[in-house]
Amino acid sequence: MIKNGRVIDPANGLDKKCDVLIVDEKIADVGEIEKKAEKVIDATGKIVTPGLIDMHVHFREPGDEEEETIASGSAAAVAAGFTSVVCMPNTNPTIDNETDVEYIHRKGRKARKTHVYTMGAITKQLQGVELAEMGFMAEAGAVGFTDDGNGLQDPAVMLRALKYAAMFDVVIAQHCQDNSFAGNGVMNAGYYSTILGLPGISTLAEEAMLWRDIQLVKKANVRYHAQHISTAGSVELIRAAKKASLPVTCEVTPHHLLLTDQCCAEYDTNYKVNPPLRSAEDIDALKQAIADGLVDALVTDHAPHLQSEKELEFLAAPFGIVGLECALGLYVKALVEPGILSWPGLISLMTERPAKIIGVDKGTLGKGKQGDVTIIDPDAEYEIDVNKFRSKSKNCPYHGWKVTGRVEKTIVGGEIRFSAGD
Ligand SMILES: [Zn+2]
Ligand SMILES: [Zn+2]
């Protein structure tokens, strides 16, 4: 029994002080509950929400277990309030068949922290040529398909993939990047790439592919999800697509809301991400998009890398930063504090909305739903310390940032899997 919290359950239009009772791994009741319970958690002054969902993480297993494992990533996830995560398939080997999907699930269950889902690859080995075994992977429980890390370049292959995935009602997610525009770029193309002498990635790389994909969606009229959109132009494309009632959804990361390409000025590779950090105008457009309800999910794109790799020069270092264990505080800073989203608005984009995209029956506190609950102290201020991360990797540009909003407890299937101070 979780007593006296501010219970926010956007799917049921609920935002009030009350109790949540979990019985046998499931939500048994929400409201003013008089029953006695075996265990009582006092949530006075806290926010009680459906377990948070991050539909975009990289756990590096199989293949790069020195960077992250499903066990270490899962521990980081519950410490960050996430009761479900979706792994990306660009591991080594690629998750492009049912056996690999089952492997991720098995490892996730063994870790006993968060629910671990995975997307499968759209194309075999992310080569962009031959479709992977999407049907078998969907049957095995893959919650989407993506070639994340790459954009799928060939439009004919993409159209086939969209139509095929629709047969299983599983979403195709795209890392929008047209390689002919991206070239060998390592940061946003603009003033800073020019003065730093680094090859740039034009905003067109993202927008050209997103525009193309939307034309394909128009043809096929099937679900499509744009991953980590980063530019003002992408926002306008999404705006038009939604206005035309196309089944298009999109997600945004914290770094594309808080950091600009100016951060790359010291050649610090903890600012090297893909899509790259853009301009202040792009940030404004993304925030406006969120305020206007155009963004469907907030994600981390948690991307662990070894320190030795990130210590390479900017040109050679890999793209990506870890983001799980600071995500909530960063989203509060980027969206709640400036009044772009209310707490219920934020929770919606971290629970029910992503749950719908990946087609899992989660993200609400409805009776009978799985007992996944996150308890948040909305007033707790703290300093982000990468050395305290449970993630194996520390490539994170927010070390030392002060943020507000800390996860107190994470309950997965009725079991407390994380408590602050543990
Ligand atoms: Zn990506
Ligand atoms: Zn990614």
Side-chain angles (χ1 to χ4, degrees):
M1 173 92 78
I2 305 160
K3 292 290 281 184
N4 294 321
R6 175 183 171 191
V7 179
I8 298 178
D9 182 13
N12 290 307
L14 186 73
D15 179 6
K16 71 169 186 181
K17 195 175 165 190
C18 62
D19 316 317
V20 176
L21 179 67
I22 302 174
V23 177
D24 295 337
E25 303 175 22
K26 295 210 159 77
I27 305 289
D29 205 358
V30 177
E32 272 145 46
I33 307 167
E34 294 303 329
K35 285 178 208 153
K36 289 235 174 309
E38 204 174 293
K39 180 172 177 60
V40 176
I41 298 168
D42 178 20
T44 306
K46 310 287 194 295
I47 289 176
V48 179
T49 78
L52 305 181
I53 298 171
D54 185 353
M55 61 174 288
H56 192 148
V57 302
H58 298 265
F59 280 177
R60 304 302 186 208
E61 189 175 354
D64 289 295
E65 287 84 354
E66 68 288 359
E67 295 179 338
E68 196 80 286
T69 60
I70 289 168
S72 66
S74 298
V78 285
F82 293 103
T83 57
S84 297
V85 297
V86 180
C87 295
M88 294 297 112
N90 62 337
T91 46
N92 187 14
T94 307
I95 309 302
D96 60 6
N97 61 71
E98 62 183 312
T99 313
D100 294 339
V101 170
E102 283 160 1
Y103 171 85
I104 302 291
H105 290 162
R106 196 164 59 245
K107 285 278 182 170
R109 281 194 301 274
K110 225 174 132 197
R112 278 189 75 78
K113 292 288 185 188
T114 187
H115 298 292
V116 179
Y117 296 96
T118 190
M119 289 201 186
I122 302 173
T123 64
K124 286 184 180 167
Q125 288 161 30
L126 312 179
Q127 298 280 313
V129 181
E130 203 183 331
L131 291 186
E133 296 171 4
M134 293 203 282
F136 290 127
M137 286 193 282
E139 243 170 67
V143 293
F145 300 104
T146 177
D147 278 2
D148 187 40
N150 300 318
L152 211 178
Q153 305 297 310
D154 186 325
V157 175
M158 186 61 181
L159 183 60
R160 229 180 302 140
L162 283 165
K163 286 180 173 170
Y164 194 43
M167 288 165 55
F168 318 103
D169 195 26
V170 176
V171 73
I172 291 273
Q174 176 84 288
H175 168 123
C176 291
Q177 179 183 309
D178 185 321
N179 287 345
S180 55
F181 287 117
N184 60 353
V186 294
M187 66 175 292
N188 183 44
Y191 172 79
Y192 287 99
S193 65
T194 309
I195 60 163
L196 294 169
L198 291 170
I201 301 175
S202 159
T203 53
L204 271 179
E206 179 172 310
E207 292 154 7
M209 184 166 280
L210 180 55
W211 181 86
R212 180 205 76 179
D213 284 353
I214 290 170
Q215 309 318 303
L216 301 178
V217 172
K218 267 186 205 163
K219 261 265 176 295
N221 198 31
V222 295
R223 286 207 291 146
Y224 168 85
H225 179 74
Q227 297 179 294
H228 46 46
I229 62 163
S230 71
T231 79
S234 293
V235 167
E236 287 322 304
L237 290 166
I238 295 285
R239 190 185 298 279
K242 292 207 169 192
K243 207 169 167 200
S245 301
L246 294 174
V248 170
T249 54
C250 70
E251 64 184 35
V252 168
T253 72
H255 44 277
H256 291 118
L257 295 171
L258 288 163
L259 306 170
T260 66
D261 55 354
Q262 188 180 0
C263 296
C264 304
E266 307 287 324
Y267 298 96
D268 181 344
T269 59
N270 279 331
Y271 296 100
K272 183 174 175 182
V273 288
N274 190 10
L277 302 176
R278 304 289 190 182
S279 69
E281 291 73 42
D282 293 306
I283 289 182
D284 289 344
L286 289 172
K287 287 183 171 172
Q288 190 60 49
I290 291 168
D292 294 345
L294 296 173
V295 172
D296 301 274
L298 299 172
V299 302
T300 63
D301 198 3
H302 177 80
H305 287 292
L306 286 179
Q307 199 176 347
S308 55
E309 282 184 300
K310 275 296 205 184
E311 275 169 0
L312 296 170
E313 59 178 309
F314 206 94
L315 275 173
F319 291 102
I321 57 178
V322 293
L324 277 170
E325 286 165 270
C326 41
L328 181 68
L330 294 174
Y331 275 128
V332 170
K333 186 185 272 302
L335 300 170
V336 178
E337 283 170 11
I340 293 159
L341 285 180
S342 60
W343 269 99
L346 178 73
I347 298 306
S348 174
L349 294 184
M350 299 180 83
T351 56
E352 48 149 357
R353 302 276 297 274
K356 273 197 197 105
I357 299 168
I358 57 173
V360 297
D361 187 21
K362 288 188 187 296
T364 98
L365 298 174
K367 269 183 210 171
K369 303 287 179 188
Q370 203 160 23
D372 294 350
V373 178
T374 302
I375 303 176
I376 297 162
D377 183 343
D379 304 312
E381 270 186 280
Y382 69 102
E383 193 173 304
I384 295 168
D385 181 352
V386 298
N387 301 307
K388 290 187 181 152
F389 283 0
R390 283 142 185 92
S391 171
K392 277 191 166 186
S393 292
K394 316 292 178 201
N395 51 304
C396 174
Y398 307 110
H399 183 65
W401 281 40
K402 287 196 177 63
V403 291
T404 308
R406 190 167 58 190
V407 172
E408 287 285 312
K409 276 190 171 39
T410 307
I411 300 166
V412 182
E415 197 178 292
I416 299 173
R417 297 270 173 91
F418 170 79
S419 281
D422 283 9

